[in-house]
Amino acid sequence: QKEVEQNSGPLSVPEGAIASLNCTYSDRGSQSFFWYRQYSGKSPELIMSIYSNGDKEDGRFTAQLNKASQYVSLLIRDSQPSDSATYLCAVNILRSSNTGKLIFGQGTTLQVKP
Amino acid sequence: DARVTQTPRHKVTEMGQEVTMRCQPILGHNTVFWYRQTMMQGLELLAYFRNRAPLDDSGMPKDRFSAEMPDATLATLKIQPSEPRDSAVYFCASGFVGLAGYNEQFFGPGTRLTVL
């Protein structure tokens, strides 16, 4: 089992819809969780951080964390074609919690169709 | 606007040549990471530093790769000799890890390396 798992997609949604991206992790003691967006040919860009159970909203983005079920998700409301990118989930697992090391998933490719 | 910078942005070289990639982390950040990204392997962590000291370089092929941080404003990744299988995008990222453990990482633009 991979430490951080994501469905590679592509996930295709129509413009204006809600895109839901999911990530599961294996280390129950994981401390902090991040979503990065990566456009083709560009570097990963941090878009959300979440540290506590529940929801965290930032504009059209909502991160959801459920430590008991060991998953973290990213919702994108009112999806736009400009949201088309690969979304990487990253987790700071317990054994690396004091080093800052993140474990990245393989990424989910999102396609928003006009 | 604080950003991680990397040079060069693109490098084409021939097998056997030495390649040096440089990174300037964000001022004030105490942790620097080197990653490699390929289509097949995704994002792989090669090495990382805290306060300029290497914490872990187990992700690097040690016979040809080396990473150093000669001062707080410069991290380097060297490949000698380079091989075609080293062709990838190499990213540097920096972050601040304190007692609270919050550890957001910010990526540079990357160096796209092609070894012929």
Side-chain angles (χ1 to χ4, degrees):
Chain A
Q1 181 185 10
K2 292 182 180 177
E3 292 179 290
V4 179
E5 293 204 61
Q6 298 180 253
N7 188 322
S8 62
L11 173 66
S12 184
V13 300
E15 183 175 356
I18 296 175
S20 177
L21 304 161
N22 299 312
C23 172
T24 58
Y25 58 94
S26 59
D27 188 332
R28 184 172 290 277
S30 297
Q31 304 280 326
S32 44
F33 308 84
F34 307 89
W35 283 100
Y36 287 80
R37 177 177 61 198
Q38 187 174 24
Y39 292 114
S40 180
K42 301 295 185 182
S43 60
E45 174 193 7
L46 179 64
I47 56 173
M48 290 289 283
S49 309
I50 187 165
Y51 303 97
S52 305
N53 275 330
D55 295 359
K56 179 182 178 182
E57 186 175 317
D58 183 1
R60 296 186 297 110
F61 297 99
T62 299
Q64 299 176 317
L65 175 61
N66 184 324
K67 290 186 177 180
S69 299
Q70 295 174 236
Y71 82 79
V72 57
S73 62
L74 180 69
L75 301 179
I76 306 175
R77 290 183 300 282
D78 188 23
S79 295
Q80 301 297 309
S82 59
D83 295 325
S84 298
T86 296
Y87 289 81
L88 298 165
C89 172
V91 177
N92 179 219
I93 60 176
L94 180 62
R95 60 179 168 82
S96 300
S97 61
N98 64 342
T99 66
K101 176 181 175 180
L102 299 181
I103 307 297
F104 282 83
Q106 287 289 96
T108 298
T109 300
L110 173 66
Q111 297 174 346
V112 181
K113 298 192 173 179
Chain B
D1 186 20
R3 296 186 185 188
V4 176
T5 59
Q6 290 185 248
T7 57
R9 295 291 305 276
H10 301 272
K11 177 71 175 180
V12 179
T13 190
E14 293 187 346
M15 183 173 63
Q17 297 298 304
E18 178 177 303
V19 175
T20 299
M21 291 169 269
R22 294 176 174 81
C23 167
Q24 181 173 9
I26 293 172
L27 186 65
H29 282 184
N30 62 358
T31 310
V32 175
F33 303 83
W34 281 105
Y35 292 92
R36 175 171 63 184
Q37 188 174 43
T38 61
M39 290 293 292
M40 293 299 295
Q41 298 297 325
L43 202 57
E44 301 174 90
L45 178 64
L46 298 175
Y48 58 107
F49 296 80
R50 168 76 54 75
N51 296 324
R52 297 176 52 202
L55 285 188
D56 187 353
D57 61 1
S58 60
M60 275 190 335
K62 300 222 183 23
D63 57 336
R64 299 184 300 109
F65 284 60
S66 62
E68 296 179 344
M69 202 161 174
D71 63 60
T73 65
L74 176 65
T76 62
L77 180 66
K78 290 186 181 180
I79 308 174
Q80 169 62 20
S82 58
E83 297 181 2
R85 60 180 167 152
D86 301 329
S87 298
V89 181
Y90 291 80
F91 290 110
C92 175
S94 73
F96 182 81
V97 180
L99 293 175
Y102 299 143
N103 51 0
E104 298 176 336
Q105 290 183 23
F106 299 89
F107 282 74
T111 295
R112 184 173 295 276
L113 174 65
T114 302
V115 183
L116 303 175

